Amino acid sequence: MSERLPIQYNKKPCYDIVFTQSFDTLWDELEALENSCSNKRLCIVTDSKVNELYGEEVLGLLKGKCLKAVKYVFPNGEEHKTLDTVKGIYKYLIEEGFDRKDMLLALGGGVVGDTAGYVAATFLRGIDYVQIPTTLLAQADSSIGGKTGVDFDGYKNMVGAFKMPRLVYMNLSVLRTLEDRQYFSGFGEVMKHGLIKDALFYEWLIDKMYEICDRELDILQEMLIRSCTVKKMVVEKDPTEQGDRALLNFGHTIGHAIEKAKGFSLYHGECVALGAVAAAYISWKRELLTMEEYYEIRDMFVPFYLPISVENIDPQEILRLTKADKKMESGKIKFVLLKKIGKAFIDNTVTDEEILAAIKEIHFSDEDAHA
Ligand code: GLY
């Protein structure tokens, strides 16, 4: 059964997240939008991997129902989240005669959603777009809240814009075709939502661990509704990250640094898990969390196949990259710590020594192996 979660922007209804288990109602949802899609040109933006699985199916649902339905496919991978890809999409839209009342459909994971969203934010000073997220990471996090953008010179999301989608359409059955590693990496973001705002949801995740690992669709639907409800609360209160939205960066400060140092060979959600362990460690060392809570948080990533330590990193390099990330304010790192499970806060007094100690905690070195 379909369910929906309405999202407000500046206290006014903005778009709905639709949770469902197929693409069957996609066209009805598009037609029900304020300016129905029948008189629009629609361009699906997707990557080579998602295109093979769902590109033709989704295109087939649109063909003959709107003015024109086309598809732009770019190669899969974080290394394609660039201004070059954006340029390729602009050129294609111009060739296909797209104008300001037309619309993009971002069909894919976080890279596709962020890149297509950035095109939508900038092409002809902004056109509409719909998010159709196909990874757990994109469903739990990146498709909601209107953050769009691309990486620049190896720096994550360095160029971007806020642009709210018109609709987020989540077909949860697509999660069943994800490779295990891709699927489980999304739990970095799901668990983050429990840890920062909703202790009961965090406990529910632990309770439903086996059903979640088996990808039972009704459980996944409940999980995503609860996870998206946390994200909704945060982005509705602070849509453009003037304050509390930064709580969603829990685990991302050190996480992004590891992602870059490892040349993007680890998945984003895996790096978020490592960053979350490091942030929980600092919270324990500041006596905000007990030792038991720290170890519980750390060890809960394990059943979801997420890493809690990482090999071959240079802690000093990670510290340097952490400070080069954009989560800085007046030269200070905006670090997200935990007061307790389900209660995060932003702190800009975390010292280099604390960060280094946390990086060493998650660094699996040869010395550990021989101890
Ligand atoms: N992924 C963090 C945010 O949407 O703010």
Side-chain angles (χ1 to χ4, degrees), residues 36 40 42 61 74 99 122 139 143 162 178 217 275 302 315 331 364:
S36 148
K40 290 182 190 290
L42 302 179
L61 292 169
F74 67 89
D99 65 35
T122 49
Q139 294 191 344
S143 66
F162 286 100
L178 287 179
L217 283 181
V302 177
F364 185 84

Side-chain angles (χ1 to χ4, degrees), residues 141-142 144-145 147 189 192 231 235 241 245-246 248-249 252:
D141 186 44
S142 60
I144 306 146
K147 274 191 181 175
E189 300 288 3
K192 175 192 84 178
K231 179 122 193 195
V235 297
E241 202 166 312
R245 183 164 179 168
L248 297 171
N249 295 333
H252 285 60

Side-chain angles (χ1 to χ4, degrees), residues 127-349:
I127 63 171
D128 285 343
Y129 77 114
V130 163
Q131 290 276 17
I132 310 176
T134 60
T135 61
L136 180 56
L137 183 121
Q139 294 191 344
D141 186 44
S142 60
S143 66
I144 306 146
K147 274 191 181 175
T148 74
V150 292
D151 304 337
F152 187 77
D153 251 1
Y155 289 99
K156 288 271 296 177
N157 303 328
M158 204 34 108
V159 177
F162 286 100
K163 169 83 178 166
M164 300 303 145
R166 297 293 313 281
L167 167 74
V168 181
Y169 186 93
M170 287 187 198
N171 167 6
L172 303 171
S173 73
V174 301
L175 299 179
R176 298 183 73 107
T177 59
L178 287 179
E179 290 156 17
D180 281 350
R181 188 173 164 208
Q182 172 68 260
Y183 174 66
F184 286 111
S185 77
F187 280 94
E189 300 288 3
V190 176
M191 311 238 326
K192 175 192 84 178
H193 287 149
L195 285 170
I196 63 167
K197 280 261 176 222
D198 189 346
L200 287 177
F201 176 48
Y202 183 74
E203 279 166 27
W204 181 90
L205 288 169
I206 298 172
D207 209 38
K208 297 286 183 240
M209 189 156 69
Y210 295 108
E211 292 88 336
I212 291 170
C213 289
D214 284 346
R215 306 191 204 186
E216 286 182 18
L217 283 181
D218 290 339
I219 291 290
L220 293 183
Q221 186 153 327
E222 182 173 354
M223 177 181 87
L224 278 155
I225 291 172
R226 294 182 74 163
S227 179
C228 289
T229 301
V230 172
K231 179 122 193 195
K232 169 188 159 81
M233 284 191 306
V234 178
V235 297
E236 284 185 342
K237 193 166 157 219
D238 175 24
T240 53
E241 202 166 312
Q242 305 303 310
D244 268 14
R245 183 164 179 168
L247 293 175
L248 297 171
N249 295 333
F250 177 69
H252 285 60
T253 314
I254 291 178
H256 273 170
I258 295 172
E259 207 171 348
K260 182 161 163 58
K262 286 287 188 185
F264 298 99
S265 58
L266 290 178
Y267 285 11
H268 177 68
E270 294 172 340
C271 296
V272 171
L274 290 163
V277 175
Y281 178 81
I282 296 174
S283 309
W284 165 36
K285 289 292 151 182
R286 286 191 169 199
E287 297 183 2
L288 299 164
L289 296 177
T290 62
M291 184 178 74
E292 289 74 22
E293 283 172 321
Y294 165 63
Y295 283 112
E296 186 198 321
I297 292 170
R298 191 193 70 165
D299 295 344
M300 265 321 297
F301 287 108
V302 177
F304 295 103
Y305 302 92
L306 284 162
I308 55 172
S309 65
V310 56
E311 283 178 320
N312 300 328
I313 50 166
D314 170 1
Q316 289 291 348
E317 188 202 1
I318 303 293
L319 175 65
R320 187 181 57 73
L321 290 170
T322 298
K323 293 166 90 173
D325 196 66
K326 64 182 176 344
K327 292 169 195 49
M328 301 276 288
E329 201 168 68
S330 315
K332 298 224 186 279
I333 298 180
K334 280 193 286 172
F335 218 100
V336 186
L337 299 176
L338 293 178
K339 270 194 189 104
K340 57 181 184 177
I341 292 177
K343 194 137 189 59
F345 69 103
I346 298 159
D347 186 288
N348 61 10
T349 66

Side-chain angles (χ1 to χ4, degrees), residues 1-19:
M1 201 190 61
S2 289
E3 289 172 88
R4 54 207 307 136
L5 193 62
I7 306 288
Q8 296 193 344
Y9 180 58
N10 290 339
K11 302 206 164 39
K12 293 202 183 79
C14 187
Y15 57 95
D16 281 359
I17 309 175
V18 173
F19 303 87

